[in-house]
Structure formats: structure tokens, C-alpha cells
Amino acid sequence: GAELKNTFCLTRDRYAFVSHHIGDLENYETLRSFEEGVAHYEKLFRIHPDIIAADLHPDYLATRSARERADRESLPFISVQHHHAHLAACLADNGWDTLDPVIGLSFDGTGMGLDGAIWGSEVLLGGYAGFTRKAHLRYVPLAGGDASVRKPSRMALAHLWAAGLDWEADLPPVSALCAEERTALRLQLERGFNALPTSSMGRLFDAASALLGVRAVATYEGQAAVELEACLDPDERGWYPLEIRGEEIDPSPLWSALLADWRAGVSVSICAARFHNSITAVTLEICQQLRNETSINSVALSGGVWQNRSLYTHTLKTLQNAKFNVLVHHRLPANDGCISLGQAVVAAAQSGYWKN
């Protein structure tokens, strides 16, 4: 499973037993609950693992526990990239019974990438056995790590900095941070100190929320995005442009257009709706490009960003109107609660246990 919203999963033959919600593995108590739960499920279902799979991130408590057990019991251990697990989980949730690839839209807040960066807006082409990364948001520095998650204003200024846009004094995220924090943030961005690159779609939503003055400081996970969605005008059909350059999706034109609207006095509800519509529009464009290149017509949606009901509903309808076969979660959540199932089926496919 994952570090946040953890579940674990045991499999046998064609059955997968996904655990109850463990929660965020942040301390010894939750780790103990996780390990006790695994032992209980093994006894309950009379399963002893032949293979153990876990997240690619080496410091996740679930990963460390899994690797220690694999070493202790001399079991094969497989690391599964976070967004590949999302894709595989959605396929399994839909009974996808081949190794044929689909277009995977794994949009979330964070997951360690193959290059060591923080991924989160991944357009993948693949299936259970493997994947190719076809597109993602352009990297932006996540200055201070969790500090920028807790303060969406920091994320907004990082996006403006990456887009070459000034931090003008009247902008909400500028006024939300004191001069000292803004100075320190700029130094971090310029020098790359404690500022891992991220392609996170969740952080893009945080930045938009802060830029429009909706939420400057988050007191719970996803608050900025939740409040941005809550204030949008559902009847608005306008959108802002994003530029696709090779595998990179550059949001710079989006920020310029959104700021122009904001300065022109366009309501926050209209701007918020246009921002959401922009993600749907670029998603459709990329999927159509990939379909033209590969003839693959199935698209899988997974990741916590798809819990945004407005984005999910609009994107689903748009892709279906374009004649895509869209796969979505039915029995498991789109968030990290599905990761353990994805890890299990990836491990089965990569280890020769897969049977149609």
C-alpha cells in the first residue's frame, strides 16, 4: 500500500482481499496496526505470500516493513511506481483481464517518480506489466516540501516564478505571506535548495486556489482544491490554454489568462470553472493524440484528483462524447486506498503469475 490512506492487499488465484482503511502511516502506532492487520488477514484467508510488493519510495513505512519482511523470509520483493499502481488498480477494479495497454490518467498529489522527482499528473501508456510515461505537467519546485502543501500560497508563487510572472503586490498569495517568507521562498526557488521538482496535479489545483484568493493556508489535506471546486460556476464553459510541448504540459499560458481575468474583475466562480475546464480540455487533447498514434481507445482514471466531482463528471462525459472507453473505479476509491491492489496485480504480471 501507500503511505497515505493506506490499505494492504493479499491475493490468491483470481481473488484479491483488500484490507480495511488503515489510514496515514505516520507513526509507530499506525505501523503496528498495519502489521497486525496483515497478520490477521493472512490467518483469516490462510495465505502466506510468495512475493511482496510495495511502493517505490524507500522511506515509506509500509515499504520499509515490506522490504524487511521480504529479507527476513527470503521472499522476492518488487517495487511498484505509485502511478503505475493507480493505473493497474483501476484496470483490476474493472475486471480488465488482459495485459493489453490503455491510456492511464493518474492524477494526484504526490508519488515518487522513476527519476526521483515528485510525480502527480501522469499520462501513462501501459497495463499491468509495465508503462511508458507519455505526458506530465512541467516540473515546478516544491519549495520546503510539506511547507508548500500546507501553504498553497507558496505553491502559487512557485508556479508564477516558473512561468516567469511577477509576484505583484496585490496578488492574494503575495499578501498572504510576509516579506521574510517571500524572500526565503524566492531564494529556495532560485537556488533549488530543499525544492524537489514536482509534476503534481494536486499542487496545480492548490496554486489556482491560492491565486484566486480562495485558500492561502490548508488545515486539512486537499482543502484548497475542495474549496476551489465548491465555488465554481457549473454553467461556465470557458477554459484557459495549456501548451503541450513533447511530453511536457506547460501551464504558463493558463496562469497568464487566469490573472488577466482576475484583474479584469471576472468573478472567482467563473475563473474557478474555467480552470477546471482547462484540465478537461488538455486531457482530451492528449488522449486524442495518443489514440491517433497508437489506436488505443481505452482510458483509465485513477488518483485522488479524480475525487473532484466536477472535474471527474465533466472529463468523463467529454471523453465518452469523443468515443473513448473510459474506465473508472467502482469498488475501490480513486485515491491511495486502491494502491495496494495495483501493487499486487503489477507484481503478479511482472513475476509470471499472471493468467488471463
Side-chain angles (χ1 to χ4, degrees):
E3 184 82 343
L4 304 179
K5 307 172 195 69
N6 177 272
T7 62
F8 58 83
C9 177
L10 285 82
T11 67
R12 182 173 57 212
D13 302 325
R14 291 183 59 85
Y15 296 96
F17 306 98
V18 180
S19 77
H20 55 293
H21 177 77
I22 303 295
D24 298 349
L25 298 185
E26 298 177 319
N27 52 46
Y28 179 73
E29 287 75 16
T30 51
L31 177 61
R32 285 287 298 159
S33 177
F34 165 81
E35 293 176 339
E36 289 169 0
V38 172
H40 176 68
Y41 266 57
E42 289 184 16
K43 182 178 180 180
L44 181 65
F45 296 109
R46 299 174 183 171
I47 292 173
H48 187 279
D50 295 319
I51 298 171
I52 296 180
D55 194 272
L56 181 67
H57 198 302
D59 294 328
Y60 282 179
L61 290 181
T63 301
R64 291 166 64 179
S65 175
R67 185 176 288 279
E68 287 170 4
R69 179 173 177 184
D71 290 343
R72 186 170 62 249
E73 300 183 11
S74 299
L75 295 172
F77 179 86
I78 294 178
S79 296
V80 181
Q81 199 280 322
H82 188 91
H83 300 94
H84 184 204
H86 267 300
L87 167 59
C90 187
L91 294 179
D93 203 351
N94 284 271
W96 190 262
D97 60 359
T98 79
L99 296 178
D100 294 342
V102 302
I103 299 168
L105 304 178
S106 296
F107 293 174
D108 64 2
T110 182
M112 183 176 179
L114 299 180
D115 57 0
I118 302 171
W119 290 8
S121 58
E122 310 317 305
V123 181
L124 309 179
L125 196 65
Y128 296 124
F131 72 93
T132 302
R133 191 188 195 201
K134 302 301 291 185
H136 58 87
L137 285 171
R138 188 185 67 177
Y139 285 140
V140 171
L142 185 68
D146 286 346
S148 287
V149 177
R150 292 190 298 270
K151 291 186 176 181
S153 290
R154 293 173 61 92
M155 204 65 240
L157 295 186
H159 267 281
L160 293 182
W161 176 84
L165 299 172
D166 292 335
W167 294 358
E168 299 182 55
D170 61 335
L171 294 176
V174 174
S175 58
L177 301 175
C178 67
E180 290 80 6
E181 185 167 5
R182 293 198 305 272
T183 299
L185 175 61
R186 188 178 291 277
L187 286 173
Q188 282 187 291
L189 296 173
E190 292 175 348
R191 298 177 181 178
F193 174 72
N194 192 22
L196 282 174
T198 182
S199 62
S200 171
M201 184 65 75
R203 301 291 78 79
L204 188 82
F205 274 75
D206 287 352
S209 183
L211 197 58
L212 291 172
V214 175
R215 172 54 57 179
V217 177
T219 58
Y220 62 85
E221 184 188 6
Q223 183 178 10
V226 168
E227 294 181 359
L228 182 68
E229 179 194 4
C231 73
L232 66 79
D233 182 345
D235 297 322
E236 173 60 31
R237 293 294 175 261
W239 52 277
Y240 301 125
L242 291 92
E243 186 176 358
I244 302 173
R245 294 192 299 230
E247 294 183 3
E248 283 193 342
I249 306 166
D250 185 2
S252 298
L254 178 151
W255 299 128
S256 296
L258 185 148
L259 282 176
D261 271 357
W262 182 78
R263 292 200 176 284
V266 176
S267 69
V268 170
S269 62
I270 295 294
C271 292
R274 290 176 179 175
F275 172 81
H276 281 73
N277 295 343
S278 304
I279 306 306
T280 296
V282 76
T283 294
L284 174 64
E285 183 178 355
I286 290 173
C287 288
Q288 288 176 324
Q289 288 180 2
L290 289 175
R291 179 167 62 182
N292 291 337
E293 294 171 8
T294 66
S295 298
I296 293 174
N297 194 55
S298 292
V299 180
L301 309 184
S302 190
V305 168
W306 295 114
Q307 292 184 301
N308 180 315
R309 178 58 58 177
S310 296
L311 179 69
Y312 166 79
T313 302
H314 187 200
T315 304
L316 176 63
K317 182 178 180 181
T318 299
L319 290 172
Q320 289 175 335
N321 287 343
K323 308 303 180 184
F324 282 98
N325 172 39
V326 187
L327 308 174
V328 300
H329 285 281
H330 300 285
R331 292 166 290 185
L332 292 176
N335 67 25
D336 283 4
C338 74
I339 287 291
S340 62
L341 174 63
Q343 292 168 345
V345 292
V346 168
Q350 293 183 350
S351 303
Y353 278 74
W354 179 264
K355 294 179 182 179
N356 288 347

